[in-house]
Coordinates of all heavy atoms in Angstrom, one line a residue:
P887 N -13.0 -5.7 7.2 CA -14.3 -6.4 7.5 C -15.0 -5.9 8.8 O -16.2 -5.9 8.8 CB -13.7 -7.8 7.8 CG -12.5 -7.9 6.9 CD -11.9 -6.6 7.0
D888 N -14.2 -5.4 9.8 CA -14.9 -5.0 11.0 C -15.4 -3.5 10.9 O -15.9 -3.0 11.8 CB -13.9 -5.1 12.2 CG -12.6 -4.3 12.0 OD1 -12.5 -3.6 11.0 OD2 -11.8 -4.3 12.9
A889 N -15.2 -2.9 9.7 CA -15.7 -1.5 9.5 C -16.8 -1.5 8.5 O -17.3 -0.4 8.2 CB -14.5 -0.6 9.0
V890 N -17.3 -2.6 8.0 CA -18.4 -2.6 7.1 C -19.6 -1.9 7.6 O -20.3 -1.1 6.9 CB -18.7 -4.1 6.6 CG1 -19.9 -4.1 5.7 CG2 -17.5 -4.7 5.9
A891 N -20.0 -2.2 8.8 CA -21.2 -1.6 9.4 C -21.1 -0.1 9.5 O -22.1 0.6 9.3 CB -21.5 -2.2 10.8
W892 N -19.9 0.4 9.8 CA -19.7 1.9 9.8 C -19.9 2.5 8.5 O -20.6 3.5 8.3 CB -18.3 2.2 10.3 CG -18.0 3.6 10.4 CD1 -18.2 4.4 11.5 CD2 -17.4 4.5 9.4 NE1 -17.9 5.7 11.2 CE2 -17.4 5.8 10.0 CE3 -17.0 4.3 8.1 CZ2 -16.9 6.9 9.2 CZ3 -16.5 5.3 7.4 CH2 -16.5 6.6 7.9
W893 N -19.4 1.9 7.4 CA -19.6 2.4 6.1 C -21.1 2.3 5.7 O -21.6 3.2 5.1 CB -18.7 1.6 5.1 CG -17.3 2.0 5.1 CD1 -16.3 1.3 5.8 CD2 -16.7 3.1 4.4 NE1 -15.1 2.0 5.6 CE2 -15.3 3.0 4.8 CE3 -17.1 4.1 3.6 CZ2 -14.4 4.0 4.3 CZ3 -16.2 5.0 3.1 CH2 -14.9 5.0 3.4
Q894 N -21.7 1.2 6.0 CA -23.1 1.1 5.6 C -24.0 2.1 6.3 O -25.0 2.6 5.8 CB -23.6 -0.3 6.0 CG -23.0 -1.4 5.1 CD -23.4 -2.8 5.6 OE1 -23.6 -3.0 6.8 NE2 -23.3 -3.8 4.7
K895 N -23.6 2.5 7.5 CA -24.4 3.5 8.3 C -24.1 4.9 7.9 O -25.0 5.7 7.7 CB -24.1 3.3 9.8 CG -24.9 4.3 10.6 CD -24.5 4.2 12.1 CE -25.2 5.2 13.0 NZ -24.9 5.1 14.4
N896 N -22.8 5.2 7.7 CA -22.4 6.6 7.4 C -22.2 7.0 6.0 O -22.5 8.1 5.6 CB -21.1 6.8 8.2 CG -21.3 6.7 9.7 OD1 -21.8 7.6 10.3 ND2 -20.9 5.6 10.3
H897 N -21.8 6.0 5.1 CA -21.5 6.3 3.7 C -22.0 5.2 2.8 O -21.2 4.7 2.1 CB -20.1 6.6 3.5 CG -19.5 7.7 4.4 ND1 -19.8 9.1 4.1 CD2 -18.8 7.7 5.5 CE1 -19.2 9.8 5.1 NE2 -18.6 9.0 5.9
P898 N -23.2 4.8 2.9 CA -23.6 3.6 2.1 C -23.5 3.8 0.6 O -23.2 2.9 -0.2 CB -25.1 3.5 2.4 CG -25.5 4.8 3.0 CD -24.3 5.4 3.6
D899 N -23.5 5.1 0.1 CA -23.4 5.3 -1.3 C -22.0 5.3 -1.8 O -21.7 5.4 -3.0 CB -24.0 6.7 -1.7 CG -23.3 7.8 -0.9 OD1 -23.0 7.7 0.3 OD2 -23.2 8.9 -1.5
L900 N -21.0 5.2 -0.9 CA -19.6 5.1 -1.3 C -19.1 3.6 -1.3 O -18.0 3.4 -1.6 CB -18.7 5.9 -0.3 CG -19.0 7.4 -0.3 CD1 -18.0 8.0 0.7 CD2 -18.8 8.0 -1.7
L901 N -20.0 2.7 -1.1 CA -19.7 1.3 -1.3 C -20.1 0.9 -2.8 O -21.2 1.2 -3.2 CB -20.5 0.4 -0.3 CG -20.2 0.6 1.1 CD1 -21.1 -0.2 2.0 CD2 -18.7 0.1 1.4
L902 N -19.2 0.2 -3.4 CA -19.5 -0.2 -4.8 C -20.6 -1.2 -4.9 O -20.6 -2.2 -4.1 CB -18.2 -0.7 -5.5 CG -18.3 -1.1 -6.9 CD1 -18.5 0.1 -7.8 CD2 -17.0 -1.9 -7.4
R903 N -21.6 -1.0 -5.7 CA -22.7 -1.9 -5.9 C -22.9 -2.3 -7.3 O -22.6 -1.6 -8.2 CB -24.0 -1.3 -5.3 CG -23.8 -0.9 -3.8 CD -25.1 -0.3 -3.3 NE -24.9 0.2 -1.9 CZ -24.9 -0.6 -0.8 NH1 -25.2 -1.9 -1.0 NH2 -24.7 -0.1 0.4
D904 N -23.4 -3.6 -7.5 CA -23.6 -4.1 -8.8 C -25.0 -3.6 -9.3 O -25.7 -2.8 -8.6 CB -23.5 -5.6 -8.9 CG -24.5 -6.3 -8.0 OD1 -25.5 -5.7 -7.6 OD2 -24.2 -7.5 -7.6
T905 N -25.4 -4.1 -10.5 CA -26.7 -3.6 -11.1 C -27.9 -4.0 -10.3 O -28.9 -3.4 -10.4 CB -26.8 -4.1 -12.5 OG1 -26.7 -5.6 -12.5 CG2 -25.7 -3.6 -13.4
D906 N -27.7 -5.0 -9.4 CA -28.8 -5.4 -8.5 C -28.8 -4.7 -7.2 O -29.7 -4.9 -6.3 CB -28.8 -6.9 -8.3 CG -29.0 -7.7 -9.5 OD1 -29.8 -7.3 -10.3 OD2 -28.4 -8.8 -9.7
G907 N -27.8 -3.8 -7.0 CA -27.7 -3.0 -5.7 C -27.0 -3.7 -4.6 O -26.9 -3.2 -3.5
A908 N -26.4 -4.9 -4.9 CA -25.6 -5.7 -3.9 C -24.2 -5.1 -3.9 O -23.6 -4.7 -4.9 CB -25.6 -7.1 -4.3
S909 N -23.6 -5.1 -2.7 CA -22.3 -4.7 -2.5 C -21.3 -5.6 -3.2 O -21.5 -6.9 -3.2 CB -21.9 -4.6 -1.0 OG -20.6 -4.1 -0.8
V910 N -20.3 -5.1 -3.9 CA -19.3 -5.9 -4.6 C -18.2 -6.2 -3.6 O -17.6 -5.2 -3.0 CB -18.7 -5.2 -5.8 CG1 -17.6 -6.0 -6.5 CG2 -19.8 -4.9 -6.8
V911 N -17.9 -7.4 -3.3 CA -17.0 -7.8 -2.2 C -15.8 -8.6 -2.8 O -15.9 -9.4 -3.7 CB -17.7 -8.7 -1.2 CG1 -16.8 -9.2 -0.1 CG2 -19.0 -8.0 -0.7
D912 N -14.6 -8.3 -2.2 CA -13.4 -9.0 -2.4 C -13.6 -10.3 -1.6 O -13.4 -10.3 -0.3 CB -12.2 -8.2 -2.0 CG -10.9 -9.0 -2.1 OD1 -10.9 -10.3 -2.4 OD2 -9.8 -8.4 -1.9

Side-chain angles (χ1 to χ4, degrees):
D888 59 1
V890 174
W892 181 87
W893 284 96
Q894 290 173 335
K895 177 181 178 181
N896 295 283
H897 303 285
D899 60 323
L900 295 181
L901 295 173
L902 184 66
R903 300 184 185 277
D904 61 22
T905 55
D906 295 324
S909 184
V910 179
V911 178
D912 177 352

